[in-house]
Amino acid sequence: MSKYCPKCGTKNDENATFCRKCGYNFGLRKKKEEMKKDDTNLPHSRMTRRQANNNGKKRIGILICLLVLIVFMGVLLYNQSTSNKKVSSGSSSSTTATNYNKLSNKEKQNVQFEFNLQENKDADAPDPVYNINMKIKNNTDKKISFNEGKLTYNLEGCEGYKANSKKSETIVIEPKETKTVKNIFKNIDEQVTVGGAVINYDGKQLLQANFSNSSQSAGTNDEDQSNSDDTTDSTDNNDDTTDQQDNSNESKSNSSETGDSSKAAAIQKLEYARPNYPIDEMEAIRIPAGGWLFKEPAGHMPRREYFVYDDSLEVHTLDIMPND
């Protein structure tokens, strides 16, 4: 076979290295063709490497996104599960607890209340004042709720004196559980703790208490407990009732004996206290324990009531609500 010179067109042998006429170097041409062929394949190899690198980065990005999604879904499910547990526990506690007022009379007999006095030595008062603690024992098979803010302390035979509970929370007592609430009433004057007192819950009488001293406690004496089988409690309640009747009769006797002179002496003591309202316009109420309660008219601000006892020169002042 023959080959032609690309420069002059002369025919040469197949294996000739140079053109026999013009001397063209056929080896140089072959080398240039091979280099041109290599240059043609070079971009393809570079593109292949770039695509490989890009595909690897895409895979890594997809894996990272999947991991983030898995973690996010896990946190979301955990929070939802925790929230459902709180809601279920809250709803179960609210539905299972029965308010004390909704108990039957028989069930109320199995809920025992006990109140005791504790002197408040930190109070800034001229005479001793006491705080009253409450203990509730739930002998029923139900979980019961009790609103502390619905308790009131009334002096028996004296409609003008009422102390409201200083607490406002609702407590829950489990079956067979006993709970104690300290300072349910605060700064009760010593004179008010002597003699009969009535503790009401939500406007209804809860028990009658007779605190003769700070160590004595008053237990449950509900009207519906007359059918109770506890003979000792029944006897104690009868004794308390007898004492209260004796005190009431004694106070009536003292009231009839002293009459206007006792009231005049009380007014004279009150004048030394210099009240903010004219005494002759106040309501005067005889206290069974021996003394007088003077109450400023409703709507007056600030409104006060004054306790004047027969056997004391002190006048005890108490701030009350405008419409109490």
Side-chain angles (χ1 to χ4, degrees):
M1 292 183 63
S2 301
K3 58 183 178 181
Y4 295 91
C5 178
K7 187 176 181 181
C8 64
T10 303
K11 185 178 180 180
N12 293 275
D13 293 335
E14 176 69 21
N15 296 324
T17 303
F18 298 98
C19 178
R20 58 188 177 88
K21 182 177 181 179
C22 66
Y24 179 77
N25 189 349
F26 290 105
L28 181 61
R29 180 184 178 185
K30 184 178 181 180
K31 189 175 181 179
K32 286 182 178 180
E33 289 178 352
E34 288 177 354
M35 289 178 63
K36 187 176 181 181
K37 186 177 181 180
D38 292 340
D39 291 340
T40 305
N41 295 331
L42 183 59
H44 177 71
S45 62
R46 288 180 179 177
M47 290 178 64
T48 303
R49 287 196 295 270
R50 287 179 182 177
Q51 288 178 354
N53 292 334
N54 291 337
N55 291 337
K57 291 179 180 180
K58 288 181 180 180
R59 293 192 186 97
I60 294 174
I62 292 173
L63 289 175
I64 293 174
C65 291
L66 288 175
L67 289 174
V68 172
L69 183 61
I70 292 173
V71 172
F72 176 75
M73 292 298 295
V75 172
L76 184 64
L77 291 175
Y78 174 78
N79 291 337
Q80 186 175 2
S81 175
T82 305
S83 176
N84 290 337
K85 286 181 180 179
K86 289 182 179 179
V87 171
S88 61
S89 62
S91 60
S92 61
S93 62
S94 61
T95 53
T96 54
T98 303
N99 189 278
Y100 175 79
N101 281 342
K102 295 183 179 180
L103 296 177
S104 65
N105 294 336
K106 186 176 181 180
E107 290 172 334
K108 287 182 179 179
Q109 293 177 15
N110 293 322
V111 181
Q112 297 178 355
F113 296 87
E114 184 177 328
F115 296 83
N116 58 75
L117 297 179
Q118 181 178 4
E119 185 176 355
N120 185 4
K121 297 182 180 180
D122 297 329
D124 185 13
D127 295 324
V129 292
Y130 292 85
N131 297 338
I132 298 180
N133 304 322
M134 177 182 68
K135 183 167 70 174
I136 307 176
K137 185 175 183 180
N138 181 13
N139 292 323
T140 69
D141 295 329
K142 292 183 177 181
K143 181 190 294 185
I144 63 173
S145 61
F146 193 86
N147 191 330
E148 301 168 339
K150 294 184 178 182
L151 284 167
T152 57
Y153 181 92
N154 300 76
L155 184 62
E156 189 177 18
C158 181
E159 297 180 357
Y161 183 85
K162 181 175 72 172
N164 297 318
S165 170
K166 299 302 180 183
K167 304 284 185 176
S168 59
E169 298 179 357
T170 298
I171 59 175
V172 176
I173 307 106
E174 299 288 341
K176 312 302 179 184
E177 183 186 17
T178 300
K179 278 193 175 181
T180 300
V181 182
K182 289 187 175 295
N183 303 332
I184 196 74
F185 298 105
K186 295 189 69 174
N187 298 332
I188 302 297
D189 190 86
E190 183 178 27
Q191 296 289 344
V192 181
T193 65
V194 179
V198 177
I199 297 178
N200 295 330
Y201 177 70
D202 199 13
K204 297 181 181 179
Q205 180 174 321
L206 185 65
L207 59 86
Q208 289 182 335
N210 184 11
F211 299 105
S212 60
N213 54 61
S214 60
S215 63
Q216 183 174 350
S217 62
T220 304
N221 181 20
D222 201 347
E223 294 176 355
D224 298 322
Q225 292 185 348
S226 58
N227 296 327
S228 175
D229 295 332
D230 196 337
T231 306
T232 304
D233 288 345
S234 176
T235 303
D236 292 340
N237 292 335
N238 291 334
D239 291 341
D240 290 342
T241 303
T242 303
D243 292 340
Q244 292 166 6
Q245 291 176 350
D246 291 342
N247 291 334
S248 177
N249 293 334
E250 182 180 353
S251 64
K252 290 180 181 179
S253 176
N254 292 336
S255 178
S256 61
E257 291 176 1
T258 55
D260 295 336
S261 60
S262 174
K263 184 177 180 180
I267 292 175
Q268 187 176 5
K269 294 177 185 179
L270 184 58
E271 287 176 348
Y272 285 105
R274 295 183 179 180
N276 296 328
Y277 207 86
I279 300 176
D280 55 353
E281 296 183 17
M282 296 184 189
E283 180 183 2
I285 303 172
R286 181 65 172 165
I287 300 176
W292 290 86
L293 168 66
F294 294 90
K295 192 174 182 181
E296 294 180 354
H300 181 65
M301 287 293 292
R303 189 181 179 210
R304 296 184 177 91
E305 56 186 13
Y306 307 88
F307 290 87
V308 184
Y309 295 95
D310 294 338
D311 56 355
S312 175
L313 296 177
E314 298 289 338
V315 176
H316 304 278
T317 305
L318 182 68
D319 291 332
I320 59 176
M321 299 300 292
N323 295 322
D324 281 349

